[in-house]
Amino acid sequence: MYKTGTPLRVASYNIDMDIENNKLHNTLIYQDGLLMSGSLEALIQHLVPTASYYPDRAYTFAFLLTSRLFVKPHALMRDVCQVCTNQQNLNSSCKRDSLSLGKFGLNMVRLLGEWTETFPFDFRDDRVMKQLKEIIHRLMTADDSLRQSLMQMLNNLLDRLTELEKYELSLKENAASLQRHGNAESSTCIYDVCESPMVLAEQLTHVEFERLWNIGPEEFVQVFAKESCRIEIAAMDAKKTKNLESYAKWFNRLSYLVATEICLSVKKKQRAKVIGYFVDVAQECFNIGNFNSLMAIIAGMNMTSIARLRKTWSKVDTSKFDILVHQMDPTSNFQSYRATLQAARWRSAGAHDDREKIIIPFFSLLLKDICYLNEGCTSKLNNGHINFDKFWQLAKQIGEVIKWKQVECPFERRPAVLRHLLTNPVFSESALSLASFECEQPENSHEKEQYKKLRAKTKS
């Protein structure tokens, strides 16, 4: 028992700390008008609209994009729905007129519309979809005038998910076709289906846009979430990143396709012609703004199995190729490429047609930049707040990709050319090395030993 007159310092300190912690728990920190940090609960509250408040669209995107580092999408949807239900008494089964519900109903439709439009893949999770349908039902029960807008939003979402399923099915079919053919040599070469380097560059741009379009923005962040120890991620909780991964695989396929096409030509003169053809394709890709295909073609021609064909290269005018290689030179963190990309941004910003708007970035470097930003900044501050300054930067980078992928590809589709690009058999690394040695015989002891091992492996 405390003596009379003894100040209750410990108790007072605890009360003060509780008050301060509670303030911190519900506080958003701003600097020069920009949100810098806040607790997860405060950030969720900041997301939910009222009759007189609607969150800034940039904040909505940044929070929905990055919040999955701390809370699973189905849990976030549950929390948002709970805040709305409590705030507007949506548990009631009574209908309310539009005036009674106020502008909140319209604002909530708008928020759900932004979520389903920008992050549709979140709703492949049955738990998220179930909660979405529940809040839709409650909103329509409270105000029937919202029905048309809500049902249109739901139909648009279902159409997008159906489109995604068709795309993923086509990827499976292409993969199955490639697996059936293995390293079998194709009966057709690139010239048989497309003589024009410009047309091939245009068809490559179609492939790039399709791959890029079907990557959900959350896939970039989901990679970090899988590696984060802050939340437990079960197999059904993690948004699969297979569309992002399939895009990375496409880069490798294009590189191997280029190398395969070169090595399939028996005569040195013909191989030199194929190399020259792909240099022209790469130049057209550069002109279009398709930097991912450009880099894949350069990577294919820089493979050891192609680079070693010195007799073939002696027949090629490499001046144009050397300029393109310089543009994509990794020196000084791809300084030349970054300058070219900035020029493409300026061109796109002042563009009058879709062709001038095209920017398809070198995807591997884009991922590297995003990963560097994530690893270079802490996601949570010492006071427990979420570092939203970091998330603004992530949202800016990923938001730019979303803007680029929304450009409609202006070129005519050539089904035969696209089929060749996507399904024509390509050599494996070992088969490519063997084909290279058969094009030009080994020149040193290392190559002779490698060739001997490859032939023995083929016979066994």
Side-chain angles (χ1 to χ4, degrees):
M1 180 180 295
Y2 287 102
K3 294 181 180 179
T4 304
T6 303
L8 301 179
R9 293 179 180 176
V10 175
S12 175
Y13 172 78
N14 286 339
I15 292 171
D16 290 342
M17 284 297 293
D18 287 342
I19 293 172
E20 289 303 313
N21 286 338
N22 189 53
K23 286 181 180 178
L24 190 63
H25 184 74
N26 295 291
T27 298
L28 298 176
I29 305 300
Y30 289 81
Q31 181 177 323
D32 297 327
L34 184 67
L35 177 61
M36 301 300 288
S37 72
S39 68
L40 179 60
E41 292 74 11
L43 292 169
I44 292 174
Q45 187 72 47
H46 193 55
L47 177 71
V48 179
T50 65
S52 58
Y53 162 77
Y54 190 81
D56 180 74
R57 187 178 180 93
Y59 171 77
T60 301
F61 172 71
F63 182 69
L64 290 177
L65 174 70
T66 57
S67 60
R68 62 199 72 235
L69 287 171
F70 300 95
V71 59
K72 302 167 189 175
H74 76 274
L76 176 61
M77 176 63 83
R78 178 200 63 212
D79 292 345
V80 168
C81 291
Q82 190 62 51
V83 171
C84 293
T85 300
N86 294 341
Q87 188 174 270
Q88 300 294 326
N89 192 26
L90 294 180
N91 277 323
S92 172
S93 59
C94 299
K95 283 190 176 291
R96 298 159 58 183
D97 57 32
S98 300
L99 188 60
S100 172
L101 193 60
K103 199 177 177 182
F104 165 78
L106 295 174
N107 282 343
M108 195 60 202
V109 172
R110 182 180 169 189
L111 176 65
L112 294 174
E114 288 185 25
W115 194 337
T116 55
E117 179 184 340
T118 311
F119 301 94
F121 305 158
D122 282 350
F123 298 87
R124 301 183 85 180
D125 185 331
D126 291 339
R127 296 166 297 181
V128 185
M129 182 64 83
K130 180 182 178 182
Q131 288 161 351
L132 174 65
K133 291 180 178 178
E134 284 179 0
I135 192 65
I136 286 175
H137 174 72
R138 289 180 182 180
L139 288 168
M140 290 192 302
T141 299
D143 182 358
D144 195 60
S145 69
L146 300 174
R147 179 179 297 274
Q148 184 175 352
S149 298
L150 288 166
M151 294 310 297
Q152 183 63 54
M153 177 197 70
L154 186 59
N155 288 335
N156 290 342
L157 172 62
L158 294 175
D159 287 345
R160 182 68 184 99
L161 294 179
T162 300
E163 180 184 330
L164 176 64
E165 288 177 2
K166 289 180 180 179
Y167 166 73
E168 291 177 347
L169 179 61
S170 72
L171 291 182
K172 288 181 180 179
E173 290 172 349
N174 289 342
S177 174
L178 291 170
Q179 192 168 15
R180 284 195 302 271
H181 289 97
N183 285 319
E185 291 188 14
S186 172
S187 58
T188 59
C189 68
I190 194 66
Y191 282 131
D192 295 331
V193 291
C194 186
E195 293 183 1
S196 167
M198 179 180 290
V199 171
L200 187 63
E202 292 173 351
Q203 300 313 296
L204 286 170
T205 304
H206 269 295
V207 177
E208 298 283 352
F209 266 125
E210 184 181 41
R211 292 289 192 274
L212 200 56
W213 170 249
N214 284 289
I215 298 174
E218 71 282 356
E219 289 196 48
F220 295 98
V221 175
Q222 195 66 36
V223 173
F224 311 147
K226 286 180 179 179
E227 298 171 355
S228 174
C229 60
R230 295 183 182 91
I231 58 173
E232 178 186 354
I233 300 193
M236 68 180 297
D237 292 325
K239 164 66 183 76
K240 294 180 180 178
T241 57
K242 59 184 175 184
N243 293 327
L244 187 150
E245 291 158 7
S246 73
Y247 192 30
K249 289 178 181 177
W250 155 249
F251 181 95
N252 294 333
R253 169 173 168 75
L254 179 54
S255 296
Y256 274 87
L257 179 65
V258 169
T260 299
E261 293 280 358
I262 294 170
C263 284
L264 281 175
S265 300
V266 177
K267 294 183 179 180
K268 178 173 55 180
K269 185 178 179 180
Q270 181 65 16
R271 284 196 301 275
K273 185 179 179 181
V274 175
I275 289 175
Y277 173 85
F278 277 115
V279 170
D280 289 340
V281 173
Q283 179 65 61
E284 293 297 340
C285 286
F286 177 84
N287 295 339
I288 289 171
N290 180 357
F291 301 113
N292 200 54
S293 289
L294 166 62
M295 192 61 177
I297 293 170
I298 291 174
M301 291 195 282
N302 279 337
M303 285 183 179
T304 302
S305 54
I306 304 303
R308 65 168 295 277
L309 302 175
R310 292 192 294 176
K311 294 177 182 178
T312 302
W313 280 99
S314 68
K315 301 295 181 181
V316 179
D317 179 2
T318 61
S319 57
K320 189 186 296 184
F321 181 66
D322 292 339
I323 293 172
L324 292 171
V325 169
H326 173 72
Q327 289 289 340
M328 306 304 286
D329 186 354
T331 303
S332 300
N333 194 21
F334 288 89
Q335 183 178 11
S336 295
Y337 163 70
R338 293 184 190 278
T340 301
L341 182 62
Q342 184 58 50
R345 287 190 180 100
W346 292 332
R347 180 200 65 190
S348 181
H352 299 290
D353 59 51
D354 282 341
R355 183 184 177 112
E356 293 178 337
K357 293 179 183 177
I358 295 173
I359 298 178
I360 300 174
F362 174 29
F363 195 65
S364 295
L365 185 59
L366 172 69
L367 286 180
K368 179 182 175 183
D369 287 344
I370 293 173
C371 289
Y372 179 81
L373 175 57
N374 177 67
E375 293 169 0
C377 303
T378 182
S379 295
K380 227 169 189 181
L381 304 177
N382 292 334
N383 63 1
H385 271 200
I386 291 174
N387 181 11
F388 214 79
D389 182 41
K390 167 185 174 177
F391 294 160
W392 283 127
Q393 297 177 60
L394 281 171
K396 181 181 178 181
Q397 280 197 319
I398 298 172
E400 190 173 40
V401 178
I402 293 177
K403 180 182 177 182
W404 292 337
K405 77 176 188 175
Q406 287 174 340
V407 174
E408 187 170 345
C409 189
F411 309 121
E412 178 186 352
R413 292 178 69 89
R414 307 291 180 94
V417 181
L418 290 169
R419 189 163 49 250
H420 186 93
L421 290 171
L422 295 171
T423 64
N424 210 55
V426 297
F427 286 143
S428 65
E429 187 171 358
S430 58
L432 198 56
S433 297
L434 183 60
S436 174
F437 288 132
E438 290 174 350
C439 287
E440 293 187 17
Q441 290 296 305
E443 294 186 345
N444 54 52
S445 58
H446 174 72
E447 286 190 347
K448 289 177 181 178
E449 182 63 25
Q450 188 181 6
Y451 183 41
K452 182 179 178 180
K453 288 179 180 178
L454 287 169
R455 291 192 66 182
K457 185 177 179 182
T458 303
K459 292 178 181 179
S460 60

